[in-house]
Amino acid sequence: MGLPTETIAAIAYNIEIELLLRERGGAPFAFCVAYRRSGSPKIYWSATPRQDNEPYSCIVALIQNLTWHSDSHQKLYVYCSPQYNVTTMCRGMADFIPEVEMRLNPAIEPQPGETTGLEITELTDTIPGRGHLDEFDISHAGPAPTGFNLNLAHVFRQARQHTLHRIYMMAAFALVECRVRKRSMDGHNIGAILVTNGGQVLSWGLNQYNVNHTFHAEVNTLQSYWKRTGAAVPDGSVLFTTLKPCKMCAGMIQHAGVRRTYMGQDDPGSHATNTDLDVRGADRLFAVSAPHKPVQVYKSPVYSADREARPPPNTRT
């Protein structure tokens, strides 16, 4: 399976000419040859300009759009122009989707050639199917604790600091509880919350794997924040997730500039071992777990930072 090298080079040449006509000559681009279970392959491409720390890229947009239609695709071969910067975020998403194969070494040099009969389509960034979490209302949760720094170097030596981390982790588990109560079947019961260094909740997300295989909780959290604000994640921001991020999510977390990630549970699976967060150093990934008490879900919607770090009587583990 696979188009000849000269045909791939001709596809890249056609895309390059299109960009020249738009006065964007030399812009980096990526394209994907989608081999279907029946019929001729289709070609999709993207050259949308990107900003630093944006949780999207041309390759990510291609994979997410085509994964939405993955039932009709047998194999997705990804190529890019010589100017394209392939990040760990791109590689992490490609590695996670078994139908995707990156063919990036060497990058394709555009050359004139024959592409007659091939359908070449530009993909936009509109990715269907992502759900909204309007039902998760935090307006009655009371004010966020103030006067704390969630990014301290020796956070685990400070009991009250660790208690705050557990509060935000409980909020991530509360997201999951919303899913369970609705009996939603659109993904696994995994939730994530993005918080500033000062404690403000920026974004949240649930796993929607059954809608799109790339819609993990961490991916939804980061991409939803970008779509809503158009801004990079603030410096020092912290991500809380109920399960250790897989390689795809870890690559996006690292690329987006999240300073620290806290997980509620380890994942020994192969997709979550030796991730970008694991290899970047010991100050990137932490577990909110033993030797401290297990995380408890507080029934009371209000938390007081002045209260002693002990669970109220009406709690459940």
Side-chain angles (χ1 to χ4, degrees):
M1 177 186 294
L3 294 175
T5 302
E6 55 269 22
T7 303
I8 297 298
I11 294 170
Y13 180 80
N14 284 359
I15 297 172
E16 191 172 70
I17 293 299
E18 176 64 27
L19 292 173
L20 281 169
L21 294 174
R22 301 181 187 181
E23 299 183 348
R24 291 189 56 210
F29 63 86
F31 64 96
C32 179
V33 181
Y35 293 92
R36 298 177 293 174
R37 303 187 188 282
S38 61
S40 302
K42 289 187 175 183
I43 291 83
Y44 302 91
W45 66 279
S46 174
T48 304
R50 301 296 175 182
Q51 300 181 33
D52 293 340
N53 302 123
E54 183 178 350
Y56 288 95
S57 69
C58 296
I59 289 178
V60 166
L62 286 170
I63 294 175
Q64 288 194 303
N65 271 282
L66 296 178
T67 301
W68 172 253
H69 302 287
S70 61
D71 288 344
S72 61
H73 297 139
Q74 185 176 2
K75 198 68 177 179
L76 304 172
Y77 289 152
V78 177
Y79 304 85
C80 66
S81 64
Q83 306 94 329
Y84 192 93
N85 178 30
V86 181
T87 65
T88 55
M89 175 179 66
C90 300
R91 296 186 185 277
M93 184 164 288
D95 289 344
F96 182 78
I97 305 298
E99 295 87 2
V100 175
E101 182 176 324
M102 304 274 271
R103 295 193 166 184
L104 308 177
N105 296 313
I108 295 298
E109 291 286 350
Q111 297 289 337
E114 185 62 49
T115 59
T116 303
L118 291 177
E119 183 179 341
I120 304 177
T121 305
E122 182 181 10
L123 284 182
T124 67
D125 290 341
T126 302
I127 303 170
R130 195 191 308 276
H132 298 285
L133 300 174
D134 296 335
E135 72 279 3
F136 183 67
D137 183 9
I138 62 172
S139 62
H140 302 295
T146 59
F148 293 91
N149 185 338
L150 295 179
N151 203 24
L152 293 178
H154 304 290
V155 64
F156 287 109
R157 298 180 184 177
Q158 305 189 31
R160 295 186 70 187
Q161 204 69 31
H162 189 76
T163 298
L164 279 176
H165 288 150
R166 289 156 59 85
I167 294 287
Y168 288 106
M169 185 62 72
M170 284 185 279
F173 276 103
L175 275 171
V176 175
E177 186 177 15
C178 288
R179 152 82 58 75
V180 173
R181 287 183 176 180
K182 290 182 62 178
R183 299 188 178 184
S184 173
M185 302 295 291
D186 59 357
H188 305 307
N189 290 328
I190 303 168
I193 287 184
L194 180 65
V195 184
T196 67
N197 192 29
Q200 178 186 0
V201 175
L202 297 173
S203 183
W204 53 83
L206 282 167
N207 180 292
Q208 293 179 294
Y209 178 86
N210 294 336
V211 177
N212 186 307
H213 290 350
T214 69
F215 284 0
H216 286 199
E218 300 91 334
V219 170
N220 283 343
T221 299
L222 293 171
Q223 291 187 333
S224 294
Y225 175 75
W226 178 271
K227 282 291 189 183
R228 189 175 70 254
T229 67
V233 171
D235 291 341
S237 293
V238 183
L239 185 75
F240 295 87
T241 178
T242 58
L243 186 67
K244 181 183 179 182
C246 68
K247 293 177 181 178
M248 173 180 67
C249 296
M252 184 170 290
I253 291 168
Q254 179 69 26
H255 181 83
V258 175
R259 183 64 184 87
R260 291 184 174 215
T261 301
Y262 291 87
M263 60 182 182
Q265 182 180 348
D266 193 11
D267 184 351
S270 60
H271 281 303
T273 56
N274 296 320
T275 71
D276 204 44
L277 294 177
D278 293 313
V279 302
R280 290 282 178 170
D283 63 339
R284 292 288 182 177
L285 182 64
F286 300 89
V288 182
S289 58
H292 302 272
K293 295 179 181 179
V295 171
Q296 296 180 342
V297 177
Y298 284 69
K299 289 183 178 179
S300 172
V302 179
Y303 169 75
S304 172
D306 298 325
R307 189 183 305 168
E308 290 184 331
R310 63 173 182 266
N314 59 332
T315 63
R316 58 182 176 86
T317 57

